[in-house]
Each structure stands twice: as C-alpha cells, then as structure tokens.
Amino acid sequence: MGWPYLGETLQLYSQDPNIFFSAKQKRYGEIFKTHILGYPCVMLTSPEATRFVLVSHAQLFKPSYPKSKEKMIGPHALFFHQGNYHSQLRKLVQSSLNLNSLHKLIPDMEAIAISALDSWAGREVINTFHEMKKLSFDVGILSVFGLLDESHRENLKENYCIVDKGYNSFPTNIPGTTYHRALLARKRLKQIMSEIIYEREEKKIMEKDLLGYFLNFKDEKGRVLSKDQISDNIIGVLFAAQDTTASVLTWILKYLHNDQKLLEAVTAEQKAIYEANEGGRRPLTWAQTRNMPLTYRVILESLRMASVISFTFREAVVDVEYNGYLIPKGWKVMPLFRNIHHNPEFFSDPLDFDPSRFEVAPKPNTFMPFGNGAHACPGNELAKLEILVLIHHLVTKFRWEVVGSQSGIEYGPFPVPQHGLPARFWKESNHHYRH
Ligand code: HEM
C-alpha cells in the first residue's frame, strides 16, 4: 500500500502509468490494492472483474471524481450520478447522438473539417493536438446546439477555453489563480447558455439537437430540467467530447505518418470515395461513412494502442465480494482499460500497430476504449464519424509531415504525443501532385 496518505501516488504519476500497473499485475495477479491520492483503491486488470464492476453489478459502484472537477463541470452532470436521474439524462444524450441524428450532421461536420484543414495548410508549424481540440470543440457545439450564430459560438469558445485550463490546475479559489479564473468563466458560460435558451423559447423553435431534447424533457411528474441541470450537462458533454477525441485524432496522425504503406492504403480507400463524389463536389453520404473498412480498423487500432482513457474510477457503495476478494465499502475500484488493451493474452504483440487484428472481433470485454455498461460513452458513434470525416478530407487533399523526432508521451492527463505533435500541412495539388 506504500506510504500513508501519499500511498503510491508519486510512483503512479511520475512514470508511464502502464509500467506501474503491469509491474503490479505481474506480482499480484488480476486484482490488487494500492493507495492513491488519499484513498485505498482496488485495481482490476481482468475483463471479468471489469465487467462485474461496470456492467453486471454496476449498482454496487458509484462514479467517483475529485470534488474540484465536479465543481468545474457542474454537479448535475450525468457522469457523477447513478439511478433514475442518471438514466433519464442519459436517454436524452443518447437520443441526440443516435445514428439517425448523426447522419444529418455529416455536411456540417465536413465543413468544420475542411475549414480546419485549410487553416493549417496556410500556416508554418502547428500544434496538432491544440488544433484537434478546436475541431472537436466545434463538432461538440454542433451536436449540442445545431447551427449556432457566430457571436454565441465565439463567446462560448472563449470562456470554455478558460474553464478548460482550470480542470487540471491546482484548486485554490483565490483571485488571480487559474482555478479562480476558470470558475468565473464557468459562470459566464451559464449566462450565455441562458441567453441561447431564452432566444429559442422566444422563437418557439424545437430543434432535435441535445439542447432541444433537454428543453423538451418532462419527467413522469411533469417536472422540467432546471437551468443548472441543463448547463452542467452541456458543459459535461463538451468536456467529455473534446480532449478525448482530439488526443485520438493526434495519435492517428502520428501512427499514419509512421507507416507510409498503411497511409497509402488508407488514401487509396478514401480516394475511391472522393472520385465517386466527383472530386469532392458531392458531400459524403452516410452509407459511404459506413463503408470505409480499412480506415475504420485504423481508428479501432488507434483507440486500442493509445487507450486515451487509460482507466476509470468507481467507489463501492457497500461491502462487495468478488471471486473471494472483499472490496470494502468506500474503497475506490479502478478498471484498467489500457492494461487489458495491452495484454498479449488478448492482443498478440500488443505494442505493434496492426489494424488487421480487427479483421476478427476482439474477445468479449477485452476492448473498451469507450468504457462499458451503465456509463459507457454515448458519444462513441459521433467520435468515430468525426474521425472518419476528418481522415477523408485530410488524406484526399492534404499531406503532412511531423516536425522533430520526439517519441515521448505527455499526460495532460490524457496521453498525447510530446509537444502535441508539431506538424506541417500542405495542400497536395500545390506541391506534388496534380490531377
Ligand atoms: C474518441 C473519443 C472518446 C473516447 C475515447 C471516450 C471515452 C469515454 C469513456 C471511456 C467513458 C466512460 C467513462 C467511465 O465509465 O467512467 C465515456 C463517457 C462519456 N462520454 Fe465519451 N469518449 C469519447 C468521445 C465522446 C464524445 C464525442 C462525446 C459527446 C459528444 C462523449 C460523451 C460522453 C459522456 C456524456 C459520457 C458519460 C456517460 C455516462 O456517465 O453515462 N464522449 N467516454
């Protein structure tokens, strides 16, 4: 269990977390305990134990986040809850992100991707991760608010950026600190959202985006959602959508750049679609996005390799017995997704980037980039669609090279290539290639 209070926190945070966990796993097996950030924790590295906690006995474990994070996102956001409130909100989020709603977003998503790529090609070196964050934020806004007017969008963006800096800053609420500034920006975000809601109510528009679902909701007793419940959940969705998607996109660019043969094959797959659409004059169809098998496998393999959500936390709400182990009430449990994704028993030569491994479906409960069970990611189809759309426009019209030869990883807290993968982009026709 390490030292009192600090426990093994320093060991975990000072190195690649995977090394810490796999060393433990070798020594102690599929379940072991440690002490992190002041809490006793049980780590789970087997698909069965993970399934027990997240799926079959999910009601015995509640979500668990640091208080400072809960305050910044908003205590009403669905991921902090269990039971009835959680499932009501979850249904609304899922309806706004179901396949039927998603295919209507494709043209606007394409416009966002094209405008991002054009802006990169006009510049020297960009920080890929930062640019991907802007892109995934714009797609997040699109799925929450539909087409929002420019001034609201800019206003949300500016204030959300300040909130974003506060998520991982030290939580001291003293004027002048990053955390304090973030809390103030958080208040302004709520104000902007109230204005957007007011305008919608004035115009009596009923949109089928997430905000529309929230505004239209009534529970069995006829109660509607409060402004706080709506704004906490919108900020929650924007938060869940941004760094996750952006870090996966950044890793994909790195993996493709590292393997030029694979990049050529992906480009060939996308160019065939591009030509069928008369050189991009017609928009991508839903059917086309569902039929990009190689690109899709590259995305799955990137999700596995990068495992950007390396693990999650729950807390036992009662004493729980699993397989002869006692998990005492109040202890944290941590399903270790990345360990499972990098276990050679489930994925042979786990450190090789090999999309063809997904020609065969992985064993049940061994592939969980979007989690599992009651809190599994409702945005997973949106994220995959957004990535497919970006790759389509990237490889058919642009080229890029990574600047520098760093091979390190930064944890912020999601793993991203060092320095956010500095890269240079250019339009293909300007340099190498003309039709
Ligand atoms: C590649 C990108 C993404 C990854 C890897 C990812 C991963 C995850 C994971 C692992 C969870 C479960 C966490 C847990 O059980 O503790 C989760 C939950 C969630 N994700 Fe995602 N996500 C991504 C993109 C998105 C997007 C684009 C959205 C929304 C538009 C979104 C919205 C959510 C929400 C609202 C939850 C909480 C669900 C609940 O508590 O019921 N995510 N995500």
Side-chain angles (χ1 to χ4, degrees):
M1 299 282 282
W3 298 92
Y5 186 73
L6 263 183
E8 298 188 300
T9 310
L10 294 177
Q11 285 94 315
L12 170 64
Y13 282 87
S14 60
Q15 61 181 344
D16 174 349
N18 217 33
I19 295 174
F20 175 84
F21 294 135
S22 29
K24 294 266 174 198
Q25 186 183 354
K26 276 207 189 89
R27 193 152 157 209
Y28 303 112
E30 61 157 12
I31 297 183
F32 50 86
K33 60 187 178 183
T34 183
H35 215 262
I36 289 178
L37 294 175
Y39 296 100
C41 294
V42 178
M43 312 261 178
L44 312 170
T45 64
S46 76
E48 296 74 23
T50 303
R51 190 184 138 75
F52 179 86
V53 168
L54 298 178
V55 188
S56 62
H57 293 70
Q59 75 284 2
L60 305 180
F61 299 91
K62 63 176 185 190
S64 164
Y65 290 81
K67 268 277 168 288
S68 58
K69 204 153 224 162
E70 200 174 304
K71 208 165 153 193
M72 193 64 72
I73 292 172
H76 301 291
L78 79 162
F79 25 73
F80 307 125
H81 294 267
Q82 264 190 307
N84 200 28
Y85 177 72
H86 171 256
S87 59
Q88 280 176 341
L89 277 158
R90 193 175 156 83
K91 275 194 205 114
L92 301 176
V93 177
Q94 277 173 323
S95 320
S96 78
L97 294 171
N98 69 19
L99 299 183
N100 219 356
S101 318
L102 284 185
H103 78 235
K104 300 193 192 96
L105 295 181
I106 295 179
D108 295 318
M109 226 184 241
E110 284 193 277
I112 292 173
I114 292 169
S115 121
L117 286 161
D118 281 338
S119 84
W120 307 344
R123 285 155 56 187
E124 252 310 294
V125 177
I126 65 159
N127 178 315
T128 308
F129 179 58
H130 284 172
E131 296 302 320
M132 293 298 188
K133 278 185 73 153
K134 292 186 202 158
L135 176 100
S136 54
F137 185 78
D138 286 344
V139 174
I141 291 282
L142 175 70
S143 74
V144 173
F145 298 101
L147 285 178
L148 192 60
D149 68 74
E150 175 97 25
S151 74
H152 284 321
R153 218 172 50 220
E154 286 306 311
N155 225 344
L156 286 172
K157 201 181 277 185
E158 188 183 310
N159 285 292
Y160 188 84
C161 268
I162 305 173
V163 172
D164 184 52
K165 293 199 177 78
Y167 288 135
N168 301 311
S169 67
F170 196 77
T172 39
N173 201 3
I174 299 170
T177 59
T178 307
Y179 188 74
H180 183 76
R181 271 200 296 275
L183 285 178
L184 294 180
R186 173 79 184 61
K187 281 202 186 126
R188 291 194 293 273
L189 279 181
K190 200 185 142 198
Q191 182 58 36
I192 303 164
M193 284 188 265
S194 296
E195 283 164 28
I196 297 172
I197 293 172
Y198 178 77
E199 285 166 20
R200 268 209 193 179
E201 284 170 345
E202 281 278 280
K203 291 188 201 143
K204 300 210 170 8
I205 349 176
M206 180 42 217
E207 302 281 357
K208 287 212 136 194
D209 48 32
L210 182 58
L211 179 59
Y213 278 98
F214 282 161
L215 290 174
N216 213 31
F217 174 76
K218 280 199 178 78
D219 71 7
E220 61 286 354
K221 293 195 180 122
R223 285 173 304 203
V224 297
L225 293 173
S226 70
K227 291 254 161 69
D228 276 335
Q229 288 172 330
I230 295 179
S231 57
D232 289 7
N233 277 289
I234 289 179
I235 293 177
V237 165
L238 293 174
F239 167 76
Q242 193 182 24
D243 282 22
T244 46
T245 316
S247 46
V248 174
L249 276 165
T250 308
W251 281 111
I252 292 180
L253 261 60
K254 182 172 169 68
Y255 297 140
L256 286 176
H257 186 264
N258 285 353
D259 186 343
Q260 291 289 321
K261 260 210 138 67
L262 178 64
L263 174 58
E264 268 169 39
V266 167
T267 306
E269 177 171 280
Q270 295 299 337
K271 280 229 160 126
I273 297 169
Y274 187 71
E275 300 304 337
N277 288 351
E278 296 167 25
R281 270 188 289 280
R282 274 183 295 158
L284 278 171
T285 66
W286 176 248
Q288 285 170 330
T289 65
R290 305 306 272 181
N291 191 17
M292 301 175 169
L294 176 62
T295 315
Y296 192 72
R297 287 196 295 271
V298 167
I299 296 175
L300 297 182
E301 177 67 341
S302 303
L303 287 163
R304 183 194 70 81
M305 273 291 265
S307 294
V308 298
I309 307 267
S310 316
F311 53 80
T312 186
F313 281 102
R314 295 288 187 273
E315 183 184 315
V317 293
V318 289
D319 282 352
V320 183
E321 202 194 306
Y322 170 74
N323 242 1
Y325 293 94
L326 172 70
I327 305 175
K329 176 179 173 185
W331 280 43
K332 309 283 180 193
V333 291
M334 294 171 66
L336 303 184
F337 301 131
R338 178 190 276 253
N339 267 62
I340 297 174
H341 295 163
H342 290 190
N343 185 335
E345 208 183 302
F346 312 128
F347 298 95
S348 58
D349 301 315
L351 298 181
D352 290 351
F353 187 87
D354 177 11
S356 75
R357 68 172 85 239
F358 282 96
E359 284 165 14
V360 184
K363 292 195 190 109
N365 307 302
T366 60
F367 184 57
M368 294 166 287
F370 295 104
N372 203 357
H375 289 271
C377 183
N380 80 91
E381 289 294 341
L382 174 77
K384 287 185 284 192
L385 179 63
E386 175 181 346
I387 298 171
L388 288 168
V389 168
L390 184 85
I391 297 179
H392 174 76
H393 290 284
L394 172 67
V395 303
T396 52
K397 285 173 290 191
F398 295 84
R399 285 284 166 266
W400 76 98
E401 63 190 16
V402 172
V403 176
S405 57
Q406 307 95 346
S407 59
I409 301 180
E410 279 166 16
Y411 296 90
F414 299 129
V416 209
Q418 207 172 17
H419 307 308
L421 196 74
R424 195 175 287 124
F425 290 74
W426 64 92
K427 261 220 157 93
E428 187 179 52
S429 54
N430 293 346
H431 281 246
H432 295 312
Y433 177 97
R434 225 169 263 283
H435 261 297

